[in-house]
Amino acid sequence: GIIDQNQTSPKRLSMTDIHATIEQAVALIRSRTTLQPQIGLVLGSGLGGLADTLDNRVVIPYADIPGWPRSTVHGHHGNLVIGHLEGQVVACQQGRAHFYEGYSQQEVTYPIRVMHALGIQTVILTNAAGGLNTSYRVGDLMLLKDHINFVGMVGNNPLMGPNDDRVGPRFLGMVQTYDRDLRLKARAVAAEAGITLHEGVYVCLSGPNFETPAEIRMLRTIGGDAVGMSTAHEVLVARHAGMRVMAISGITNEGIDDPDTTLETNHEEVLEAGKVLVPRLTTVLRGMLRAL
Ligand code: HPA
């Protein structure tokens, strides 16, 4: 496999290696189900439960899929679940691997490449995020309108290395990254269900530490509305391959901007908020699938 669990520094893989492994992954998945998924769902921290509700589902543990990185984080299940949801055939990533776990950018985005190789054209990603916008409350949902990818900006970008022109362009344009039509649909679905759906800018940091109060104030100043540790790199790879992308953050905590407070952000709080978020997120995602 391409994943070395004991690696100390993330390595960059050649596209030849990645393609060979993707073919093995697709073969394994096709050996488990004849369903042809059209839509990919990535379910983040504490948000994986929806995958358990698919009809005629096939559960493929990540450990069975060549090259697939495994999440070591509590709250991430670690299965690819393929089945029917709201009349669509979907492939759900029940949990994801993160850059802060020591995986390379190529490794954390590999599942998106596999989804593309499976024939999936539309990806909906979810994540848990901290609120930067002071009008956001715990339990709110935010549709991503754009992102600021700090991790990529400092040279950790999954598109670095030789470009495979068969997949996408060397220099990827980043306007219309979050598909306008999908956003309109999501807003209509949320409005219909009476669910508040903010629309904002997601800031991607590497983690694993939460932000300092000074960082929270900076991220706010530069135009961020929510902050998290995933999604942006997956979106890059999906867009590079020409997939349509939508993403939703569940606000699990409010960013703490005061260094003298006794408040503290922690992972338990993130998972706890997931319980409030899941029913809302489920409603929006199911509505989206019906609308597609
Ligand atoms: N910061 C970064 N990532 C997060 C947060 C946060 O406050 N909450 C959930 N994921």
Side-chain angles (χ1 to χ4, degrees), residues 241-264:
M243 297 161 96
R244 288 207 301 168
V245 170
M246 188 186 108
I248 298 183
S249 290
I251 306 300
T252 55
N253 56 283
E254 290 167 27
I256 299 170
D257 57 12
D258 172 9
D260 292 326
T261 179
T262 56
L263 297 172
E264 181 75 271

Side-chain angles (χ1 to χ4, degrees), residues 25-46:
V26 169
L28 181 284
I29 294 163
R30 295 221 193 280
S31 77
R32 300 283 176 92
T33 178
T34 54
L35 291 177
Q36 171 56 57
Q38 306 292 338
I39 297 165
L41 290 180
V42 181
L43 303 174
S45 299

